[in-house]
Amino acid sequence: METSTGAAGRSDSTPVVAADAPVTAGKTAGGGETAGAAAAPAVRPAAPPASLSPSRAGDFMQCPLLYRFRVIDRLPEKPSEAATRGTLVHAVLERLFDVPAAERTVPRAKALVPGQWDRLRESRPEVMELFAEDPEGERLARWLAEAEQLVERWFGLEDPSRLEPAERELFVEAELDSGLRLRGIIDRVDVAPTGEVRIVDYKTGKAPRPEYAEGALFQMKFYALVVWRLKRVIPRRLQLVYLGSGDVVTYDPVRADLERVERKLLALWEAIREATETGDWRPRPTKLCGWCDHQAHCPEFGGTPPPYPLPVRTAGSDAV
């Protein structure tokens, strides 16, 4: 499916902020540096989780307490250079498909970077905090140049002049028979003339080592499951494009794969429901703790979580 055709143009589906999305100063990346261009949501009253996205599923598997901080407490997080660069690069790659195929060149793509950066600053002015101590603009210039390099590297991995995405930044949502709602935003959907579907996700980081590849594919299988439940069609191919290292990782799912992912998500959701009702959110220390914005609230670092904002079920009782 290297050459994909379909209805060109952006989906009419407007991406919305998921009910389980964290309140962030800059939208966090679902798989590292991947992030959408939606503005950060306003702080809302605490409420039990109502749906599951790949990012929040990953949060709970990484550390249940991190999930609580992001979903239940909605603690703010500072923007990061890596995630913000991912947002910028994603916007450029999306907008490039607005122009005719013959004009999708490296110079045209790199020329989009300044304008998309201006739009990002307008929609999320907090990202300028990243360069508050850069009066001469040298760090910002290097950062923008790095974004241009990632955009240019994409042309060595895919040929946008031969692609006409059926969907870009597509918001999808499906409810399973169990009542669990799954939702997310897919970077790109390609549809071949034969009707085969390919789901593509851009990553501005480096490809993981083989022993960690399954974690990255989890997000893609999540999307494939949602598409399957919505359209009753199993995507022919899942494709991860790693701009940081210049790698393309593909996987062709089968029904058994998606059924396993569904069982895993149901078990995960049951664990989340139990933690929500009991208020028992355990930290899970890993090497990733050093990157966490919430160390001041984490017991592993001598912090104290904020008061739990939801009612809890008393021990030995089903009452709340």
Side-chain angles (χ1 to χ4, degrees):
M1 292 182 58
E2 184 56 35
T3 302
S4 301
T5 60
R10 184 179 176 86
S11 165
D12 290 335
S13 301
T14 302
V16 299
V17 177
D20 59 357
V23 175
T24 59
K27 182 176 171 67
T28 55
E33 295 184 358
T34 300
V43 176
R44 296 166 292 166
S51 63
L52 195 59
S53 68
S55 298
R56 302 294 76 81
D59 286 344
F60 189 84
M61 289 187 289
Q62 176 185 326
C63 174
L65 186 59
L66 174 63
Y67 178 98
R68 177 201 150 169
F69 287 156
R70 286 179 164 172
V71 178
I72 305 297
D73 299 298
R74 307 184 191 278
L75 298 181
E77 297 179 350
K78 297 178 181 178
S80 72
E81 288 191 17
T84 305
R85 182 170 52 239
T87 301
L88 174 60
V89 171
H90 274 71
V92 170
L93 300 189
E94 181 190 1
R95 293 273 68 85
L96 185 63
F97 286 106
D98 289 340
V99 304
E103 298 178 23
R104 298 170 195 163
T105 63
V106 172
R108 182 64 178 266
K110 293 169 72 172
L112 291 173
V113 172
Q116 292 304 313
W117 171 235
D118 290 340
R119 291 185 60 187
L120 182 58
R121 287 187 302 166
E122 291 174 2
S123 62
R124 284 171 34 193
E126 66 274 7
V127 299
M128 286 307 297
E129 298 174 12
L130 295 169
F131 307 103
E133 300 179 3
D134 182 33
E136 302 299 325
E138 295 179 356
R139 279 185 48 232
L140 174 59
R142 287 196 300 270
W143 183 83
L144 290 172
E146 291 168 357
E148 291 182 359
Q149 290 171 3
L150 293 173
V151 169
E152 183 172 0
R153 184 171 293 150
W154 176 54
F155 283 79
L157 305 175
E158 296 188 290
D159 182 357
S161 68
R162 300 177 60 208
L163 298 170
E164 291 297 343
E167 306 285 357
R168 289 174 275 151
E169 293 293 316
L170 174 66
F171 173 75
V172 292
E173 181 178 39
E175 184 171 322
L176 304 182
D177 293 339
S178 64
L180 171 59
R181 281 192 294 140
L182 305 178
R183 51 172 54 183
I185 298 177
I186 301 175
D187 287 347
R188 198 180 86 217
V189 178
D190 299 333
V191 179
T194 55
E196 294 176 309
V197 175
R198 175 171 63 186
I199 295 176
V200 181
D201 193 72
Y202 307 120
K203 301 291 186 185
T204 47
K206 297 180 179 180
R209 296 199 298 269
E211 59 266 33
Y212 299 112
E214 184 58 33
L217 282 173
F218 170 78
Q219 175 189 5
M220 303 300 286
K221 292 178 181 179
F222 184 109
Y223 291 145
L225 172 62
V226 175
V227 170
W228 179 39
R229 291 308 187 197
L230 281 175
K231 303 294 185 181
R232 313 309 303 176
V233 173
I234 295 177
R236 173 67 178 82
R237 174 153 294 177
L238 310 178
Q239 181 165 303
L240 287 157
V241 181
Y242 288 96
L243 304 176
S245 56
D247 295 298
V248 175
V249 177
T250 62
Y251 184 82
D252 297 342
V254 296
R255 178 171 180 155
D257 288 328
L258 305 188
E259 290 174 339
R260 281 193 295 270
V261 170
E262 183 168 346
R263 290 193 297 270
K264 180 175 182 176
L265 291 173
L266 292 175
L268 193 65
W269 188 244
E270 187 59 35
I272 291 172
R273 287 178 55 184
E274 178 70 14
T276 302
E277 293 177 2
T278 62
D280 185 9
W281 301 90
R282 306 289 177 90
R284 184 176 296 148
T286 68
K287 292 184 292 185
L288 296 175
C289 290
W291 299 91
C292 184
D293 280 342
H294 308 301
Q295 294 180 8
H297 297 287
C298 180
E300 293 294 323
F301 292 87
T304 302
Y308 193 57
L310 299 177
V312 297
R313 188 180 70 225
T314 58
S317 171
D318 290 333
V320 176

